[in-house]
């Protein structure tokens, strides 16, 4: 009997994993839920497993070298920066993600942050609860239709956000070197280079993975290229933004406001953190992905991916299919 081990099930404390248990059992695959916190625990739990599921545990070449039967790693999310892709490919181990999981949820969260910052709902709420009933508090409010949204990255989430933004009659620019002009145009957006987007967008929303090329892409130099009074939204990865550069820009007024579901160094529990203490930031606890429907989709997709491999097929969501 083949075996699937979810390495860090404790990082999804609200889940009972009934989807994996039911689907894998029906396919004759053993399902084990582990709570690994170090490499030795991973090896002990998965040394005889063909498939592992992973949420946040870092999968390195060392980990892979100690799992001789491993055929596939399935990441419980869209991003896979916690997994060494090259090491997987060298060892002929498939890496899968969940590219369609939580797309609607993250896009909804991004538009919620945009609406919140444009209309100052959270900022007003904080003031009213302090006894300050002042319609003019903070920065000036503009219509959504007067705003240009710049999408850095044009994957599934950005495409959905583009659709939402157009319902508010926003103009949408998109930077993505991997997507054609025609494809972006088909979604009603205009393809531009990054510098053009930074110069023209009233709102910059980040939708790229964390890679060596994207870490701190929002830095002092790139913020300087943006409009004065720009709004920045990040529902992707915290390390895309240089914390100090954004904090300085928020303090100076160069950046009008920021909506952050992710922050480098999270979880953030310090109320004096430079990106939390600003009155013109709205911060949520990396919760954009979360909904009842998304959770069911997450667990079901993982199980179906494992079953696909067990049938000798290569699933559509195999990240390193070409290398294999």
């Amino acid at each position: 009997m083949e075996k699937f081990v979810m390495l860090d099930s404790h990082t999804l404390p609200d889940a009972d994993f009934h989807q994996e248990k039911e689907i894998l059992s029906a396919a004759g695959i053993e399902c084990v839920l582990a709570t690994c916190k170090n490499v030795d625990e991973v090896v002990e739990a998965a040394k005889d497993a063909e498939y592992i599921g992973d949420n946040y545990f870092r999968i390195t070449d060392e980990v892979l070298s100690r799992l001789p039967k491993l055929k596939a790693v399935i990441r419980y999310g869209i991003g896979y920066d916690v997994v060494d892709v090259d090491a997987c490919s060298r060892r002929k181990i498939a890496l899968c993600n969940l590219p369609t999981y939580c797309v609607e949820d993250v896009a909804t969260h991004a538009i919620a942050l945009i609406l919140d910052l444009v209309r100052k709902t959270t900022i007003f709420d904080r003031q009213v609860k302090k006894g300050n009933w002042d319609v003019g508090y903070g920065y000036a409010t503009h219509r959504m239709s007067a705003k240009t949204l710049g999408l850095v990255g044009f994957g599934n989430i950005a495409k959905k956000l583009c659709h939402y933004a157009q319902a508010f009659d926003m103009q949408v620019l998109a930077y993505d070197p991997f997507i054609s002009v025609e494809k972006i145009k088909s979604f009603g957006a205009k393809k531009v280079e990054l510098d053009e987007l930074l110069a023209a967008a009233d709102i910059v929303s980040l939708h790229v993975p964390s890679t060596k090329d994207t870490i701190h892409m929002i830095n002092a130099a790139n913020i300087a290229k943006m409009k004065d009074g720009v709004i920045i939204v990040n529902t992707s990865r915290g390390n895309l933004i240089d914390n100090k550069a954004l904090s300085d820009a928020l303090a100076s007024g160069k950046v009008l406001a920021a909506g952050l579901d992710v922050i480098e160094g999270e979880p953030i529990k310090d109320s004096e953190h430079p990106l939390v203490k600003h009155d013109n930031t709205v911060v949520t606890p990396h919760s954009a992905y979360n909904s009842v429907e998304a959770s069911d989709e997450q667990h079901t997709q993982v199980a179906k991916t494992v079953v696909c491999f067990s049938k000798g097929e290569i699933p559509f969501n195999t990240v390193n299919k070409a290398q294999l």
Side-chain angles (χ1 to χ4, degrees):
M1 177 182 285
E2 289 189 311
K3 183 176 182 179
F4 167 78
V5 178
M6 168 47 177
L7 298 181
D8 51 348
S9 63
H10 58 287
T11 63
L12 295 169
D14 298 328
D16 63 9
F17 297 90
H18 71 272
Q19 298 92 337
E20 291 93 331
K21 294 173 185 175
E22 293 166 7
I23 294 170
L24 296 179
S25 175
I29 301 168
E30 182 182 2
C31 179
V32 176
L33 304 178
T35 56
C36 303
K37 298 182 176 69
N38 57 57
V39 174
D40 288 338
E41 290 179 357
V42 167
V43 173
E44 181 59 31
K47 59 188 175 186
D48 58 346
E50 287 82 8
Y51 316 105
I52 58 173
D54 180 58
N55 196 27
Y56 293 128
F57 194 91
R58 188 159 292 279
I59 305 297
T60 63
D61 188 56
E62 178 196 358
V63 172
L64 298 172
S65 72
R66 297 175 66 183
L67 302 176
K69 294 184 67 177
L70 191 63
K71 296 179 182 178
V73 178
I74 298 96
R75 166 92 225 298
Y76 270 68
I78 297 174
Y80 45 88
D81 45 298
V82 296
V83 182
D84 187 331
V85 184
D86 291 336
C88 286
S89 299
R90 285 196 307 270
R91 295 182 178 278
K92 305 302 180 184
I93 295 168
L95 167 62
C96 297
N97 68 338
L98 307 179
T100 60
Y101 152 68
C102 74
V103 167
E104 179 178 346
D105 310 274
V106 178
T108 299
H109 202 89
I111 199 70
L113 288 172
I114 291 168
L115 287 165
D116 190 335
L117 294 170
V118 170
R119 299 303 306 173
K120 299 188 291 185
T121 50
T122 294
I123 292 171
F124 279 139
D125 175 74
R126 291 173 188 154
Q127 292 303 309
V128 169
K129 289 176 179 176
K130 292 177 182 178
N132 182 20
W133 191 277
D134 179 6
V135 70
Y137 182 84
Y139 50 82
T141 302
H142 295 275
R143 291 176 176 173
M144 292 280 283
S145 59
K147 297 292 185 181
T148 296
L149 173 63
L151 301 172
V152 180
F154 202 68
N156 291 331
I157 292 169
K159 291 183 180 78
K160 179 67 76 171
L161 177 56
C162 178
H163 173 67
Y164 292 163
Q166 288 164 345
F168 293 97
D169 296 325
M170 300 181 77
Q171 299 298 309
V172 182
L173 306 176
Y175 163 73
D176 194 317
F178 305 104
I179 305 212
S180 69
V181 171
E182 293 75 19
K183 186 68 173 177
I184 290 174
K185 185 178 180 180
S186 72
F187 283 86
K190 178 184 177 183
K191 179 169 180 170
V192 295
E193 293 303 312
L194 181 59
D195 282 357
E196 184 180 349
L197 183 149
L198 297 178
D202 299 296
I203 301 164
V204 174
S205 187
L206 305 180
H207 302 278
V208 295
S210 172
T211 69
K212 61 182 177 60
D213 296 318
T214 61
I215 291 174
H216 286 187
M217 70 184 304
I218 302 303
N219 50 35
N222 276 339
I223 290 173
K225 298 174 183 177
M226 298 180 188
K227 283 184 174 182
D228 291 343
V230 68
I231 290 173
I232 295 176
V233 172
N234 189 8
T235 53
S236 189
R237 287 290 185 264
N239 63 7
L240 302 180
I241 294 177
D242 179 328
N243 285 355
K244 184 178 187 305
L246 178 56
S247 180
D248 290 346
L250 285 162
S252 71
K254 172 68 177 182
V255 173
L256 186 70
L260 307 171
D261 184 55
V262 288
I263 296 180
E264 186 171 33
E266 63 182 63
I268 306 301
K269 298 182 179 180
D270 177 10
S271 61
E272 293 302 308
H273 185 282
L275 293 180
V276 173
K277 70 179 182 180
H278 287 287
D279 188 44
N280 51 341
T281 61
V282 174
V283 181
T284 53
H286 201 151
S287 59
Y289 69 92
N290 191 31
S291 74
V292 171
E293 293 80 6
S295 179
D296 181 67
E297 184 179 16
Q298 175 188 41
H299 295 280
T300 300
Q301 280 192 15
V302 169
K304 287 183 175 179
T305 299
V306 173
V307 171
C308 193
F309 277 117
S310 75
K311 293 178 178 178
E313 302 168 0
I314 298 179
F316 79 96
N317 51 325
T318 303
V319 172
N320 58 344
K321 181 184 290 188
Q323 289 78 12
L324 296 177

